[in-house]
Amino acid sequence: MKITLSTLSRALASATLLNLACMGVLNAQQVSEAIKNQAAELREQALNSELAWDVLESLTTEVGPRLAGSPADAKAVAWGVAKFKELGFDKVWTEPVTIPVWRRIHEKAAIVAPFPQAVTVTALGSSVSTPKGGLMADIVHFASYEALLAAPAGSANGKIVYISNKMERHPSGRGYGKVGPGRFLGAAEAAKKGALGLIIRSVGTDSQRSPHTGMTNYQDGVVKIPAAALSNPDADQLDRILARQQKVTLKLDLLTETAAQTLSYNVIGEITGSERPQKIVAIGGHLDSWDLGTGAVDDGAGIAITVAAAKLIAEQQRPKRTIRVVMFAAEEIGVYGGKQYALDHHSELSNHIIGAESDGGAGSVLALSSNIGQQALPALDAMLALMAPLGIVRSDEVASGSADFGAMVEAGMPAVGLEQDHSEYFDIHHTPDDTLNKVHPEQLAQNVAAWAIFVKIAADWSGRFDR
Ligand SMILES: [Zn+2]
């Protein structure tokens, strides 16, 4: 194992606190046996509970795909309110979030020459349409987004840029950060180099003919060009054709639509604390999904896991601090709900004693990361000890709060991260295959068990998490 400075300082801090605690100085900061016993009981209950599965099955069946700003998004908001009420949350409300509206109408592509054949594509989120009848142009190939960045001005003049690098499969999901910029920023950069359109190899690890969508971000002052992702086997095919002949002509036909801004809503449910109700343990996931699948793993699972953990805790005993579950609006199209939440709740920032979002799919939790003060290490150690039977270890990563709590964590909210196994997540991420049958019930339950431990200790331990 690699010993880092932070591991070392944490170990020293733990040892110091232990010594002080032994002397009776810091007893108040230890997690009591009673809380630990209750958390252990919750762990076993969660492993045998079907609640998260039922919540996820309900959302993905009764609402299905729920692209932010679509009619289904409004249905999802109503579903969230009704689900919180049905489960007996003490307070349930919504908070408006202004969002842009975009939808895909059709998408088609074909290699015109040298070997004519259709290929499978999907428009990237926010992509403009191609000209009526489609855009036909030669391809200019870049091995990566970085190669496109380094290319001279005008090097894509009149062409369709193709970015071809493959995403690495890894439990941490680290490949996403490496190839993601091609999707996030490629269209703007290609346009700066004179391109008429962009296609990328899907940001995903599968071998299916199932292209991965996701946002592309245009830049002010840069012409908006149509942008799409090829499925991985279609990208393989294009790579083989490009290996035979440099001049390859592609026809891309995308029809999309943007409309006036609309309102979506953060949906919030609370279990009111018995002793310090103004103090909040904030958890949640994002309620919106892409339009292609039913958003079972992204992020129906996060909604189901956090709702179920809060409900199981409430059933056992009312928590001392308030547990707030936020179903965030419009994460996929630009983290609108998370940013709005941070603005709306700025005045009660210091009451958010700790927070975490579940937005890594439905794979098992592998590690617990944190972003807390040293004085809170006894609580973290207690969580880790209780999570050990679930196969969860300490992570030295600094918890970011994930996308939706990112702004809150930047503003100072302490956080943990329940880091999930991403080995399979990017096979179906943002594809039509993000459906309920990809979720393993026992892995979903493992998540709920881990979240119940974290939330129970955070809500009932009397110490502070402040950094
Ligand atoms: Zn997500």
Side-chain angles (χ1 to χ4, degrees), residues 84-85 88-93 268-272 277 322-325:
F84 276 136
K85 288 184 175 169
F89 279 66
D90 299 309
K91 288 185 196 157
V92 181
W93 73 98
I268 302 175
E270 276 188 357
I271 309 284
T272 309
T322 290
I323 301 171
R324 177 179 290 178
V325 182

Side-chain angles (χ1 to χ4, degrees), residues 16-226:
T16 308
L17 284 167
L18 197 63
N19 288 335
L20 290 169
C22 289
M23 295 184 289
V25 176
L26 287 177
N27 271 339
Q29 290 188 321
Q30 299 300 311
V31 178
S32 73
E33 288 306 311
I35 296 173
K36 287 186 205 168
N37 290 339
Q38 284 187 310
E41 186 184 290
L42 283 166
R43 180 186 62 211
E44 301 314 308
Q45 284 171 354
L47 290 174
N48 292 302
S49 166
E50 290 175 6
L51 179 57
W53 178 269
D54 291 344
V55 170
L56 183 57
E57 193 264 356
S58 167
L59 175 61
T60 54
T61 306
E62 296 158 26
V63 181
R66 45 197 182 279
L67 181 64
S70 69
D73 185 37
K75 278 192 201 164
V77 168
W79 174 91
V81 169
K83 190 57 69 179
F84 276 136
K85 288 184 175 169
E86 179 193 322
L87 292 173
F89 279 66
D90 299 309
K91 288 185 196 157
V92 181
W93 73 98
T94 60
E95 296 176 350
V97 183
T98 302
I99 61 168
V101 180
W102 173 91
R103 70 182 180 110
R104 82 183 72 242
I105 299 168
H106 78 235
E107 47 202 16
K108 225 166 56 178
I111 290 161
V112 178
F115 309 127
Q117 55 194 284
V119 288
T120 310
V121 293
T122 193
L124 297 183
S126 85
S127 174
V128 296
S129 303
T130 51
K132 214 172 167 125
L135 166 69
M136 191 153 72
D138 288 349
I139 282 173
V140 53
H141 175 205
F142 294 94
S144 65
Y145 171 71
E146 290 70 25
L148 171 63
L149 264 185
S155 53
N157 267 347
K159 297 191 170 163
I160 295 173
V161 162
Y162 167 48
I163 300 175
S164 67
N165 49 348
K166 289 184 190 176
M167 183 175 168
E168 173 200 12
R169 183 187 296 279
H170 192 272
S172 71
R174 67 187 180 194
Y176 194 60
K178 288 184 194 159
V179 300
R183 192 194 84 210
F184 316 144
L185 309 167
E189 206 51 48
K192 287 183 202 165
K193 300 284 157 70
L196 302 176
L198 170 78
I199 52 166
I200 60 168
R201 174 186 280 273
S202 277
V203 178
T205 47
D206 63 299
S207 56
Q208 307 306 120
R209 223 169 178 190
S210 188
H212 298 236
T213 191
M215 277 301 278
T216 194
N217 300 304
Y218 293 119
Q219 280 174 27
D220 290 341
V222 177
V223 60
K224 295 180 177 183
I225 61 171

